[in-house]
Amino acid sequence: MKSLLILFVITLAVFTACNSKSNAPTPVALPAPAATTNSVNLVLQFKHICGTQSLTLNNKMYLNANADSFSISTLKYYFTNIKLQNTSNTVIKQEKSYYLIDHSKPEDMTIKLKVPEGDYTTLHFLIGVDESRNTSGAQTDALDPLKGMFWSWNTGYIMTKIEGQFRTPNQATKTSYIFHLGGFTGANTTVSSLTLNLPNTANVSANTTPTITITGDINNFFKSPTILTIDSYSTIMLPSATSAKLAINFAQMFTVTAVSN
């Protein structure tokens, strides 16, 4: 009898526990807190020139510092890792800011950013793709290999691509040139870090969307700090000391020429 009583008590306890469990409310996930931000709009507008002339692709010929005549059929480069510095010297980093600037596509010549309200004085960025992104496997969006700016997992991204035709003072006919500047490590890196001061403060607010005009003068690519003789480097398609040298020239192209508030 005592054994039957003990068995009855155990059975009742198990039944009660199971019934209690079945009637317990199902946990409900709480909604994530709403994101709070005071970010507003800022626009970067790109402009390419040759000296005093606007850059026109394909047939228009320009004259460089070596007296070579040249045209440009392709001008592409990576503009990445954007940071803006305000009047309080606070640096605002744009997360995942990787953009391919392609002169042939007007839509690629404008970058729209979100930044906190404030007064900005300085722009920091890279020309090229940082090492971590070069070694992170297949990428998407602007870094998609289908953009035609990627070599291999060993050599990584083409940071800058310039193609066209040229003619030296002694040539009667045009010859093609190809500058594919890449390489992301060591002495042959073609990644350039730039800091550009704004000519006047960009006043970003809910009521004001400034446009910062970034101008690249292709004439500077051919002369500063190294005068480029195109016939000496007419085909560059691998990382090299020459690529690194020309990448330094390319970085010298850029200035901020206007801030429109």
Side-chain angles (χ1 to χ4, degrees):
M1 176 68 80
K2 187 175 181 180
S3 298
L4 289 174
L5 180 60
I6 292 172
L7 180 61
F8 173 77
V9 171
I10 292 173
T11 302
L12 179 63
V14 170
F15 173 80
T16 302
C18 291
N19 191 54
S20 175
K21 183 177 180 180
S22 65
N23 292 329
T26 302
V28 177
L30 296 176
T36 58
T37 179
N38 62 344
S39 293
V40 288
N41 297 317
L42 174 67
V43 175
L44 303 182
Q45 182 69 54
F46 290 81
K47 177 182 177 182
H48 299 131
I49 61 174
C50 281
T52 59
Q53 304 177 69
S54 295
L55 177 64
T56 301
L57 295 183
N58 297 317
N59 296 324
K60 186 172 179 60
M61 300 294 288
Y62 302 93
L63 193 67
N64 69 15
N66 193 54
D68 297 326
S69 299
F70 69 94
S71 66
I72 294 179
S73 58
T74 299
L75 175 60
K76 300 180 183 180
Y77 54 91
Y78 278 108
F79 188 92
T80 67
N81 288 258
I82 303 168
K83 300 175 186 176
L84 288 125
Q85 187 171 331
N86 63 23
T87 52
S88 300
N89 290 324
T90 301
V91 176
I92 307 299
K93 180 180 179 181
Q94 292 287 305
E95 299 296 334
K96 299 179 181 178
S97 51
Y98 296 87
Y99 299 91
L100 179 60
I101 307 301
D102 184 345
H103 186 87
S104 70
K105 297 180 178 179
E107 66 272 21
D108 288 353
M109 299 285 283
T110 301
I111 295 175
K112 296 179 181 179
L113 304 176
K114 291 283 190 180
V115 298
E117 292 186 341
D119 300 321
Y120 293 90
T121 61
T122 311
L123 178 65
H124 307 273
F125 58 92
L126 298 182
I127 296 293
V129 180
D130 54 84
E131 183 174 355
S132 64
R133 286 286 181 160
N134 271 279
T135 57
S136 295
Q139 307 286 305
T140 58
D141 299 323
L143 298 177
D144 191 323
L146 293 178
K147 297 289 185 180
M149 297 288 285
F150 190 77
W151 280 324
S152 71
W153 306 124
N154 266 347
T155 48
Y157 284 92
I158 301 169
M159 313 301 182
T160 300
K161 182 180 283 190
I162 307 175
E163 300 174 359
Q165 293 186 315
F166 77 99
R167 184 176 61 241
T168 70
N170 300 321
Q171 284 180 310
T173 58
K174 299 176 185 177
T175 304
S176 295
Y177 69 86
I178 298 173
F179 299 147
H180 293 183
L181 309 181
F184 58 89
T185 59
N188 292 340
T189 182
T190 55
V191 181
S192 299
S193 177
L194 282 83
T195 295
L196 300 180
N197 295 322
L198 308 188
N200 55 282
T201 304
N203 309 121
V204 182
S205 70
N207 300 317
T208 306
T209 301
T211 296
I212 298 174
T213 301
I214 302 168
T215 300
D217 187 346
I218 199 72
N219 268 353
N220 287 338
F221 169 66
F222 286 101
K223 71 179 182 181
S224 179
T226 303
I227 293 180
L228 171 60
T229 57
I230 307 180
D231 58 336
S232 298
Y233 311 114
S234 60
T235 302
I236 298 174
M237 300 185 71
L238 286 173
S240 65
T242 299
S243 293
K245 181 168 65 174
L246 298 188
I248 294 172
N249 270 31
F250 190 81
Q252 301 307 307
M253 286 175 34
F254 297 98
T255 55
V256 174
T257 52
V259 176
S260 175
N261 288 304

